[in-house]
PDB file of all heavy atoms in Angstrom:
ATOM      1  N   TRP A 653       4.254  -7.058  -4.291  1.00  0.00           N
ATOM      2  CA  TRP A 653       2.838  -6.838  -4.492  1.00  0.00           C
ATOM      3  C   TRP A 653       1.916  -7.867  -3.704  1.00  0.00           C
ATOM      4  O   TRP A 653       1.012  -7.516  -2.979  1.00  0.00           O
ATOM      5  CB  TRP A 653       2.375  -7.010  -5.929  1.00  0.00           C
ATOM      6  CG  TRP A 653       0.989  -6.726  -6.190  1.00  0.00           C
ATOM      7  CD1 TRP A 653      -0.053  -7.704  -6.307  1.00  0.00           C
ATOM      8  CD2 TRP A 653       0.415  -5.479  -6.510  1.00  0.00           C
ATOM      9  NE1 TRP A 653      -1.255  -7.137  -6.574  1.00  0.00           N
ATOM     10  CE2 TRP A 653      -1.048  -5.744  -6.666  1.00  0.00           C
ATOM     11  CE3 TRP A 653       0.802  -4.196  -6.502  1.00  0.00           C
ATOM     12  CZ2 TRP A 653      -1.900  -4.754  -6.933  1.00  0.00           C
ATOM     13  CZ3 TRP A 653      -0.155  -3.146  -6.794  1.00  0.00           C
ATOM     14  CH2 TRP A 653      -1.492  -3.368  -7.000  1.00  0.00           C
ATOM     15  N   GLU A 654       2.372  -9.201  -3.675  1.00  0.00           N
ATOM     16  CA  GLU A 654       1.553 -10.093  -3.011  1.00  0.00           C
ATOM     17  C   GLU A 654       1.598  -9.972  -1.442  1.00  0.00           C
ATOM     18  O   GLU A 654       0.757 -10.048  -0.806  1.00  0.00           O
ATOM     19  CB  GLU A 654       2.221 -11.457  -3.350  1.00  0.00           C
ATOM     20  CG  GLU A 654       1.932 -11.906  -4.803  1.00  0.00           C
ATOM     21  CD  GLU A 654       2.630 -13.245  -5.122  1.00  0.00           C
ATOM     22  OE1 GLU A 654       3.511 -13.660  -4.424  1.00  0.00           O
ATOM     23  OE2 GLU A 654       2.318 -13.736  -6.208  1.00  0.00           O
ATOM     24  N   ARG A 655       2.927  -9.540  -1.051  1.00  0.00           N
ATOM     25  CA  ARG A 655       3.096  -9.208   0.436  1.00  0.00           C
ATOM     26  C   ARG A 655       2.246  -8.071   0.850  1.00  0.00           C
ATOM     27  O   ARG A 655       1.694  -8.095   1.911  1.00  0.00           O
ATOM     28  CB  ARG A 655       4.567  -8.990   0.673  1.00  0.00           C
ATOM     29  CG  ARG A 655       4.803  -8.668   2.081  1.00  0.00           C
ATOM     30  CD  ARG A 655       4.786  -9.855   3.063  1.00  0.00           C
ATOM     31  NE  ARG A 655       5.038  -9.490   4.383  1.00  0.00           N
ATOM     32  CZ  ARG A 655       6.285  -9.367   4.973  1.00  0.00           C
ATOM     33  NH1 ARG A 655       7.430  -9.689   4.170  1.00  0.00           N
ATOM     34  NH2 ARG A 655       6.480  -8.994   6.182  1.00  0.00           N
ATOM     35  N   ASN A 656       2.133  -7.069  -0.075  1.00  0.00           N
ATOM     36  CA  ASN A 656       1.459  -5.912   0.278  1.00  0.00           C
ATOM     37  C   ASN A 656      -0.151  -6.173   0.354  1.00  0.00           C
ATOM     38  O   ASN A 656      -0.815  -5.764   1.240  1.00  0.00           O
ATOM     39  CB  ASN A 656       1.566  -4.829  -0.900  1.00  0.00           C
ATOM     40  CG  ASN A 656       0.903  -3.572  -0.469  1.00  0.00           C
ATOM     41  OD1 ASN A 656       1.450  -2.755   0.297  1.00  0.00           O
ATOM     42  ND2 ASN A 656      -0.306  -3.289  -1.076  1.00  0.00           N
ATOM     43  N   GLU A 657      -0.564  -7.151  -0.557  1.00  0.00           N
ATOM     44  CA  GLU A 657      -1.993  -7.520  -0.485  1.00  0.00           C
ATOM     45  C   GLU A 657      -2.279  -8.263   0.772  1.00  0.00           C
ATOM     46  O   GLU A 657      -3.315  -8.061   1.414  1.00  0.00           O
ATOM     47  CB  GLU A 657      -2.256  -8.412  -1.623  1.00  0.00           C
ATOM     48  CG  GLU A 657      -2.379  -7.669  -2.973  1.00  0.00           C
ATOM     49  CD  GLU A 657      -2.958  -8.574  -4.070  1.00  0.00           C
ATOM     50  OE1 GLU A 657      -2.071  -9.354  -4.670  1.00  0.00           O
ATOM     51  OE2 GLU A 657      -4.116  -8.591  -4.427  1.00  0.00           O
ATOM     52  N   GLN A 658      -1.359  -9.139   1.276  1.00  0.00           N
ATOM     53  CA  GLN A 658      -1.465  -9.842   2.581  1.00  0.00           C
ATOM     54  C   GLN A 658      -1.555  -8.858   3.624  1.00  0.00           C
ATOM     55  O   GLN A 658      -2.381  -8.976   4.652  1.00  0.00           O
ATOM     56  CB  GLN A 658      -0.424 -10.824   2.711  1.00  0.00           C
ATOM     57  CG  GLN A 658      -0.352 -12.018   1.677  1.00  0.00           C
ATOM     58  CD  GLN A 658       0.898 -12.719   1.810  1.00  0.00           C
ATOM     59  OE1 GLN A 658       1.719 -12.629   2.633  1.00  0.00           O
ATOM     60  NE2 GLN A 658       1.200 -13.694   0.783  1.00  0.00           N
ATOM     61  N   ASP A 659      -0.690  -7.898   3.697  1.00  0.00           N
ATOM     62  CA  ASP A 659      -0.613  -6.944   4.781  1.00  0.00           C
ATOM     63  C   ASP A 659      -1.803  -5.979   4.887  1.00  0.00           C
ATOM     64  O   ASP A 659      -2.118  -5.402   5.857  1.00  0.00           O
ATOM     65  CB  ASP A 659       0.582  -6.149   4.764  1.00  0.00           C
ATOM     66  CG  ASP A 659       1.843  -6.966   5.044  1.00  0.00           C
ATOM     67  OD1 ASP A 659       1.700  -8.050   5.481  1.00  0.00           O
ATOM     68  OD2 ASP A 659       3.034  -6.445   4.720  1.00  0.00           O
ATOM     69  N   ASN A 660      -2.571  -5.900   3.796  1.00  0.00           N
ATOM     70  CA  ASN A 660      -3.700  -4.906   3.722  1.00  0.00           C
ATOM     71  C   ASN A 660      -5.029  -5.681   3.346  1.00  0.00           C
ATOM     72  O   ASN A 660      -5.948  -5.122   2.920  1.00  0.00           O
ATOM     73  CB  ASN A 660      -3.471  -3.965   2.572  1.00  0.00           C
ATOM     74  CG  ASN A 660      -2.272  -2.940   2.840  1.00  0.00           C
ATOM     75  OD1 ASN A 660      -2.483  -2.075   3.740  1.00  0.00           O
ATOM     76  ND2 ASN A 660      -1.110  -3.126   2.363  1.00  0.00           N
ATOM     77  N   ASN A 661      -5.099  -7.057   3.570  1.00  0.00           N
ATOM     78  CA  ASN A 661      -6.218  -7.813   3.410  1.00  0.00           C
ATOM     79  C   ASN A 661      -6.755  -7.677   2.126  1.00  0.00           C
ATOM     80  O   ASN A 661      -8.091  -7.531   1.893  1.00  0.00           O
ATOM     81  CB  ASN A 661      -7.260  -7.382   4.439  1.00  0.00           C
ATOM     82  CG  ASN A 661      -6.844  -7.725   5.870  1.00  0.00           C
ATOM     83  OD1 ASN A 661      -6.187  -8.759   6.131  1.00  0.00           O
ATOM     84  ND2 ASN A 661      -7.064  -6.720   6.802  1.00  0.00           N
ATOM     85  N   GLY A 662      -5.980  -7.625   1.104  1.00  0.00           N
ATOM     86  CA  GLY A 662      -6.407  -7.511  -0.314  1.00  0.00           C
ATOM     87  C   GLY A 662      -6.925  -6.110  -0.787  1.00  0.00           C
ATOM     88  O   GLY A 662      -7.449  -6.093  -1.869  1.00  0.00           O
ATOM     89  N   ASP A 663      -6.695  -5.143   0.008  1.00  0.00           N
ATOM     90  CA  ASP A 663      -7.096  -3.792  -0.295  1.00  0.00           C
ATOM     91  C   ASP A 663      -6.187  -3.223  -1.266  1.00  0.00           C
ATOM     92  O   ASP A 663      -5.153  -2.542  -0.894  1.00  0.00           O
ATOM     93  CB  ASP A 663      -7.240  -2.907   0.953  1.00  0.00           C
ATOM     94  CG  ASP A 663      -7.774  -1.577   0.613  1.00  0.00           C
ATOM     95  OD1 ASP A 663      -8.266  -1.346  -0.560  1.00  0.00           O
ATOM     96  OD2 ASP A 663      -7.730  -0.640   1.462  1.00  0.00           O
ATOM     97  N   ILE A 664      -6.269  -3.527  -2.573  1.00  0.00           N
ATOM     98  CA  ILE A 664      -5.366  -3.093  -3.604  1.00  0.00           C
ATOM     99  C   ILE A 664      -5.294  -1.575  -3.722  1.00  0.00           C
ATOM    100  O   ILE A 664      -4.292  -1.055  -4.004  1.00  0.00           O
ATOM    101  CB  ILE A 664      -5.720  -3.750  -4.939  1.00  0.00           C
ATOM    102  CG1 ILE A 664      -5.689  -5.291  -4.782  1.00  0.00           C
ATOM    103  CG2 ILE A 664      -4.891  -3.318  -6.114  1.00  0.00           C
ATOM    104  CD1 ILE A 664      -5.405  -6.023  -6.000  1.00  0.00           C
ATOM    105  N   ASP A 665      -6.411  -0.878  -3.453  1.00  0.00           N
ATOM    106  CA  ASP A 665      -6.493   0.527  -3.738  1.00  0.00           C
ATOM    107  C   ASP A 665      -5.502   1.228  -2.653  1.00  0.00           C
ATOM    108  O   ASP A 665      -5.209   2.479  -2.862  1.00  0.00           O
ATOM    109  CB  ASP A 665      -7.904   1.032  -3.478  1.00  0.00           C
ATOM    110  CG  ASP A 665      -8.802   0.697  -4.636  1.00  0.00           C
ATOM    111  OD1 ASP A 665      -8.244   0.480  -5.735  1.00  0.00           O
ATOM    112  OD2 ASP A 665      -9.994   0.580  -4.466  1.00  0.00           O
ATOM    113  N   SER A 666      -5.128   0.512  -1.489  1.00  0.00           N
ATOM    114  CA  SER A 666      -4.392   1.273  -0.574  1.00  0.00           C
ATOM    115  C   SER A 666      -2.855   1.149  -0.909  1.00  0.00           C
ATOM    116  O   SER A 666      -1.997   1.708  -0.221  1.00  0.00           O
ATOM    117  CB  SER A 666      -4.439   0.538   0.769  1.00  0.00           C
ATOM    118  OG  SER A 666      -4.094  -0.892   0.632  1.00  0.00           O
ATOM    119  N   PHE A 667      -2.521   0.458  -1.993  1.00  0.00           N
ATOM    120  CA  PHE A 667      -1.160   0.279  -2.471  1.00  0.00           C
ATOM    121  C   PHE A 667      -0.649   1.529  -3.095  1.00  0.00           C
ATOM    122  O   PHE A 667      -1.287   2.018  -4.055  1.00  0.00           O
ATOM    123  CB  PHE A 667      -0.995  -0.850  -3.292  1.00  0.00           C
ATOM    124  CG  PHE A 667       0.500  -1.085  -3.661  1.00  0.00           C
ATOM    125  CD1 PHE A 667       1.292  -1.761  -2.814  1.00  0.00           C
ATOM    126  CD2 PHE A 667       0.930  -0.686  -4.972  1.00  0.00           C
ATOM    127  CE1 PHE A 667       2.645  -2.009  -3.179  1.00  0.00           C
ATOM    128  CE2 PHE A 667       2.286  -0.939  -5.297  1.00  0.00           C
ATOM    129  CZ  PHE A 667       3.061  -1.663  -4.364  1.00  0.00           C
ATOM    130  N   LYS A 668       0.562   2.041  -2.694  1.00  0.00           N
ATOM    131  CA  LYS A 668       1.123   3.204  -3.431  1.00  0.00           C
ATOM    132  C   LYS A 668       2.635   2.807  -3.721  1.00  0.00           C
ATOM    133  O   LYS A 668       3.188   2.166  -2.810  1.00  0.00           O
ATOM    134  CB  LYS A 668       1.111   4.437  -2.612  1.00  0.00           C
ATOM    135  CG  LYS A 668      -0.303   4.927  -2.202  1.00  0.00           C
ATOM    136  CD  LYS A 668      -1.103   5.412  -3.544  1.00  0.00           C
ATOM    137  CE  LYS A 668      -2.401   5.891  -3.141  1.00  0.00           C
ATOM    138  NZ  LYS A 668      -3.102   6.148  -4.432  1.00  0.00           N
ATOM    139  N   THR A 669       3.127   3.196  -4.814  1.00  0.00           N
ATOM    140  CA  THR A 669       4.516   2.959  -5.068  1.00  0.00           C
ATOM    141  C   THR A 669       5.469   3.738  -4.219  1.00  0.00           C
ATOM    142  O   THR A 669       5.048   4.769  -3.642  1.00  0.00           O
ATOM    143  CB  THR A 669       4.869   3.235  -6.537  1.00  0.00           C
ATOM    144  OG1 THR A 669       4.526   4.575  -6.809  1.00  0.00           O
ATOM    145  CG2 THR A 669       4.160   2.337  -7.547  1.00  0.00           C
ATOM    146  N   ILE A 670       6.678   3.335  -4.078  1.00  0.00           N
ATOM    147  CA  ILE A 670       7.677   3.932  -3.032  1.00  0.00           C
ATOM    148  C   ILE A 670       8.268   5.223  -3.468  1.00  0.00           C
ATOM    149  O   ILE A 670       9.061   5.804  -2.824  1.00  0.00           O
ATOM    150  CB  ILE A 670       8.750   2.911  -2.621  1.00  0.00           C
ATOM    151  CG1 ILE A 670       9.619   2.638  -3.800  1.00  0.00           C
ATOM    152  CG2 ILE A 670       8.185   1.730  -2.062  1.00  0.00           C
ATOM    153  CD1 ILE A 670      10.796   1.857  -3.530  1.00  0.00           C
ATOM    154  N   ASP A 671       7.896   5.672  -4.741  1.00  0.00           N
ATOM    155  CA  ASP A 671       8.468   6.916  -5.234  1.00  0.00           C
ATOM    156  C   ASP A 671       7.572   8.101  -4.979  1.00  0.00           C
ATOM    157  O   ASP A 671       7.590   9.119  -5.701  1.00  0.00           O
ATOM    158  CB  ASP A 671       8.768   6.846  -6.731  1.00  0.00           C
ATOM    159  CG  ASP A 671       7.587   6.722  -7.651  1.00  0.00           C
ATOM    160  OD1 ASP A 671       6.493   6.369  -7.130  1.00  0.00           O
ATOM    161  OD2 ASP A 671       7.797   7.004  -8.769  1.00  0.00           O
ATOM    162  N   LYS A 672       6.645   8.073  -4.059  1.00  0.00           N
ATOM    163  CA  LYS A 672       5.860   9.194  -3.705  1.00  0.00           C
ATOM    164  C   LYS A 672       6.019   9.511  -2.167  1.00  0.00           C
ATOM    165  O   LYS A 672       6.452   8.761  -1.349  1.00  0.00           O
ATOM    166  CB  LYS A 672       4.383   8.797  -3.791  1.00  0.00           C
ATOM    167  CG  LYS A 672       3.966   8.317  -5.248  1.00  0.00           C
ATOM    168  CD  LYS A 672       3.962   9.601  -6.169  1.00  0.00           C
ATOM    169  CE  LYS A 672       3.262   9.184  -7.515  1.00  0.00           C
ATOM    170  NZ  LYS A 672       4.162   8.353  -8.246  1.00  0.00           N
ATOM    171  N   ASP A 673       5.882  10.932  -1.937  1.00  0.00           N
ATOM    172  CA  ASP A 673       6.146  11.272  -0.504  1.00  0.00           C
ATOM    173  C   ASP A 673       4.894  10.809   0.380  1.00  0.00           C
ATOM    174  O   ASP A 673       4.957  10.690   1.527  1.00  0.00           O
ATOM    175  CB  ASP A 673       6.184  12.805  -0.392  1.00  0.00           C
ATOM    176  CG  ASP A 673       7.604  13.328  -0.896  1.00  0.00           C
ATOM    177  OD1 ASP A 673       8.461  12.452  -0.888  1.00  0.00           O
ATOM    178  OD2 ASP A 673       7.768  14.453  -1.077  1.00  0.00           O
ATOM    179  N   SER A 674       3.787  10.753  -0.306  1.00  0.00           N
ATOM    180  CA  SER A 674       2.507  10.237   0.430  1.00  0.00           C
ATOM    181  C   SER A 674       2.338   8.712  -0.078  1.00  0.00           C
ATOM    182  O   SER A 674       1.886   8.537  -1.166  1.00  0.00           O
ATOM    183  CB  SER A 674       1.340  11.183   0.103  1.00  0.00           C
ATOM    184  OG  SER A 674       0.243  10.813   0.697  1.00  0.00           O
ATOM    185  N   TYR A 675       2.440   7.807   0.774  1.00  0.00           N
ATOM    186  CA  TYR A 675       2.433   6.392   0.378  1.00  0.00           C
ATOM    187  C   TYR A 675       0.980   5.800   0.478  1.00  0.00           C
ATOM    188  O   TYR A 675       0.798   4.896  -0.414  1.00  0.00           O
ATOM    189  CB  TYR A 675       3.391   5.690   1.335  1.00  0.00           C
ATOM    190  CG  TYR A 675       4.743   6.143   1.145  1.00  0.00           C
ATOM    191  CD1 TYR A 675       5.181   7.248   1.849  1.00  0.00           C
ATOM    192  CD2 TYR A 675       5.680   5.567   0.198  1.00  0.00           C
ATOM    193  CE1 TYR A 675       6.434   7.698   1.688  1.00  0.00           C
ATOM    194  CE2 TYR A 675       6.878   6.041   0.107  1.00  0.00           C
ATOM    195  CZ  TYR A 675       7.284   7.159   0.812  1.00  0.00           C
ATOM    196  OH  TYR A 675       8.621   7.607   0.608  1.00  0.00           O
ATOM    197  N   TYR A 676       0.287   6.124   1.461  1.00  0.00           N
ATOM    198  CA  TYR A 676      -0.958   5.292   1.584  1.00  0.00           C
ATOM    199  C   TYR A 676      -2.175   6.460   1.643  1.00  0.00           C
ATOM    200  O   TYR A 676      -1.940   7.523   2.077  1.00  0.00           O
ATOM    201  CB  TYR A 676      -1.009   4.496   2.904  1.00  0.00           C
ATOM    202  CG  TYR A 676      -0.541   3.111   2.601  1.00  0.00           C
ATOM    203  CD1 TYR A 676       0.708   2.815   2.366  1.00  0.00           C
ATOM    204  CD2 TYR A 676      -1.445   2.016   2.602  1.00  0.00           C
ATOM    205  CE1 TYR A 676       1.258   1.592   2.143  1.00  0.00           C
ATOM    206  CE2 TYR A 676      -1.013   0.747   2.367  1.00  0.00           C
ATOM    207  CZ  TYR A 676       0.362   0.481   2.165  1.00  0.00           C
ATOM    208  OH  TYR A 676       0.723  -0.801   1.932  1.00  0.00           O
ATOM    209  N   VAL A 677      -3.405   6.009   1.303  1.00  0.00           N
ATOM    210  CA  VAL A 677      -4.529   6.848   1.402  1.00  0.00           C
ATOM    211  C   VAL A 677      -4.622   7.193   2.910  1.00  0.00           C
ATOM    212  O   VAL A 677      -4.898   8.313   3.324  1.00  0.00           O
ATOM    213  CB  VAL A 677      -5.737   6.227   0.907  1.00  0.00           C
ATOM    214  CG1 VAL A 677      -6.988   7.038   1.217  1.00  0.00           C
ATOM    215  CG2 VAL A 677      -5.656   5.951  -0.525  1.00  0.00           C
ATOM    216  N   ASN A 678      -4.467   6.249   3.782  1.00  0.00           N
ATOM    217  CA  ASN A 678      -4.421   6.407   5.256  1.00  0.00           C
ATOM    218  C   ASN A 678      -3.042   6.690   5.639  1.00  0.00           C
ATOM    219  O   ASN A 678      -2.174   5.772   5.618  1.00  0.00           O
ATOM    220  CB  ASN A 678      -4.974   5.150   5.977  1.00  0.00           C
ATOM    221  CG  ASN A 678      -4.960   5.345   7.498  1.00  0.00           C
ATOM    222  OD1 ASN A 678      -4.555   6.374   7.991  1.00  0.00           O
ATOM    223  ND2 ASN A 678      -5.274   4.303   8.180  1.00  0.00           N
ATOM    224  N   SER A 679      -2.596   7.941   5.870  1.00  0.00           N
ATOM    225  CA  SER A 679      -1.309   8.360   6.066  1.00  0.00           C
ATOM    226  C   SER A 679      -0.686   7.769   7.506  1.00  0.00           C
ATOM    227  O   SER A 679       0.522   7.813   7.668  1.00  0.00           O
ATOM    228  CB  SER A 679      -1.078   9.895   6.124  1.00  0.00           C
ATOM    229  OG  SER A 679      -2.050  10.271   7.146  1.00  0.00           O
ATOM    230  N   ASN A 680      -1.598   7.273   8.291  1.00  0.00           N
ATOM    231  CA  ASN A 680      -1.034   6.642   9.537  1.00  0.00           C
ATOM    232  C   ASN A 680      -0.510   5.285   9.409  1.00  0.00           C
ATOM    233  O   ASN A 680       0.028   4.713  10.288  1.00  0.00           O
ATOM    234  CB  ASN A 680      -2.197   6.628  10.645  1.00  0.00           C
ATOM    235  CG  ASN A 680      -2.621   8.138  11.037  1.00  0.00           C
ATOM    236  OD1 ASN A 680      -1.708   8.963  11.085  1.00  0.00           O
ATOM    237  ND2 ASN A 680      -3.908   8.345  11.148  1.00  0.00           N
ATOM    238  N   LYS A 681      -0.600   4.605   8.247  1.00  0.00           N
ATOM    239  CA  LYS A 681      -0.340   3.324   8.027  1.00  0.00           C
ATOM    240  C   LYS A 681       0.906   3.249   7.134  1.00  0.00           C
ATOM    241  O   LYS A 681       1.000   3.942   6.082  1.00  0.00           O
ATOM    242  CB  LYS A 681      -1.381   2.393   7.317  1.00  0.00           C
ATOM    243  CG  LYS A 681      -1.170   1.008   7.264  1.00  0.00           C
ATOM    244  CD  LYS A 681      -2.400   0.196   6.793  1.00  0.00           C
ATOM    245  CE  LYS A 681      -2.100  -1.244   6.862  1.00  0.00           C
ATOM    246  NZ  LYS A 681      -3.282  -2.049   6.370  1.00  0.00           N
TER     247      LYS A 681
END
């Protein structure tokens, strides 16, 4: 979780768990 926050500049809403076919709101990331 902490690493994800660093990679996304703290944008917690962009985090998705790995058990979904669609991982990020922005599918290009």
Side-chain angles (χ1 to χ4, degrees):
W653 180 268
E654 291 172 348
R655 177 75 179 277
N656 185 80
E657 285 187 280
Q658 294 170 8
D659 291 348
N660 292 285
N661 298 318
D663 183 9
I664 300 204
D665 290 336
S666 67
F667 183 79
K668 299 291 180 183
T669 57
I670 64 171
D671 68 341
K672 301 286 190 290
D673 284 342
S674 178
Y675 296 84
Y676 271 71
V677 175
N678 178 3
S679 60
N680 295 322
K681 188 170 184 180

